[in-house]
């Protein structure tokens, strides 16, 4: 199924939104049976000290061997993996919910995207954060966004 064939009930804009908060709300919606598309994944932010965030993701990347577990480099796949972590992905219900979620770099169809409540970065007093695109760049992803 290509991007054009995916009919989303909800299109979420992840620009300047906190990754974990968006991922948890998207996971809830997917478990409720909605199909969800997340756009602008590269602009989502991870709060915390810059070097700590980079080190955490580097460590995840280096775990395992050539047989797994493979941790993604691209921002859209990192985002989708975060959503998977908030789903019971080993059960049939969780797998089906995970299939109802699509994550995109940029906005493929220029769809009107909405921001989810309580996910915006501006409500935090802590201003230390890193964009997901920068994390992917550090992990060695081919920067195409």
């Amino acid at each position: 199924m290509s991007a054009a064939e995916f009919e989303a009930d909800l299109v979420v804009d992840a620009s300047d939104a906190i990754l974990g908060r968006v991922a948890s709300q998207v996971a809830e919606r997917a478990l409720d049976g909605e199909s969800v598309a997340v756009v602008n994944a590269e602009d989502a932010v991870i709060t915390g000290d810059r070097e700590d965030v980079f080190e955490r993701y580097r460590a995840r990347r280096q775990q395992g061997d050539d047989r797994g577990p493979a941790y993604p480099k691209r921002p859209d796949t990192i985002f989708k993996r975060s959503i998977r972590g908030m789903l019971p992905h080993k059960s049939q219900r969780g797998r089906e919910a995970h299939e109802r979620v699509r994550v995109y770099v940029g906005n493929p169809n220029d769809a009107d995207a909405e921001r989810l409540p309580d996910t915006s970065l501006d409500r935090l007093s802590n201003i230390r954060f890193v964009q997901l695109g920068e994390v992917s760049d550090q992990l060695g992803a081919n920067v195409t966004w």
Side-chain angles (χ1 to χ4, degrees), residues 5-24:
E5 295 171 11
F6 185 71
E7 280 297 316
D9 298 329
L10 173 69
V11 180
V12 177
D13 186 2
S15 298
D16 296 327
I18 299 167
L19 173 70
R21 291 183 184 175
V22 174
S24 65

Side-chain angles (χ1 to χ4, degrees), residues 98-132:
H98 193 242
E99 288 172 11
R100 285 192 288 270
V101 176
R102 294 284 193 287
V103 182
Y104 301 104
V105 171
N107 193 342
N109 301 333
D110 295 320
D112 290 335
E114 69 177 73
R115 294 183 169 279
L116 294 174
D118 300 327
T119 59
S120 173
L121 182 67
D122 58 6
R123 64 185 285 261
L124 282 181
S125 59
N126 173 6
I127 353 180
R128 293 183 310 182
F129 65 90
V130 184
Q131 286 194 318
L132 191 51

Side-chain angles (χ1 to χ4, degrees), residues 1-100:
M1 204 183 286
S2 71
E5 295 171 11
F6 185 71
E7 280 297 316
D9 298 329
L10 173 69
V11 180
V12 177
D13 186 2
S15 298
D16 296 327
I18 299 167
L19 173 70
R21 291 183 184 175
V22 174
S24 65
Q25 289 190 31
V26 167
E28 275 182 42
R29 294 282 188 82
L31 283 170
D32 289 341
E34 290 184 57
S35 57
V36 184
V38 180
V39 296
N40 300 318
E42 73 282 7
D43 294 331
V45 298
I46 301 167
T47 57
D49 183 63
R50 185 178 204 76
E51 285 308 312
D52 290 346
V53 171
F54 287 154
E55 190 52 45
R56 186 173 347 127
Y57 280 87
R58 268 190 231 113
R60 289 178 185 174
R61 214 34 221 149
Q62 292 168 354
Q63 274 186 341
D65 56 15
D66 57 347
R67 289 179 295 164
Y71 197 80
K73 291 182 191 177
R74 292 182 45 87
D76 50 345
T77 50
I78 291 173
F79 204 115
K80 184 130 184 197
R81 178 73 175 257
S82 300
I83 294 168
R84 191 193 84 173
M86 297 179 185
L87 291 169
H89 66 273
K90 293 185 179 181
S91 72
Q92 184 65 33
R93 179 173 173 249
R95 279 193 301 274
E96 288 170 358
H98 193 242
E99 288 172 11
R100 285 192 288 270

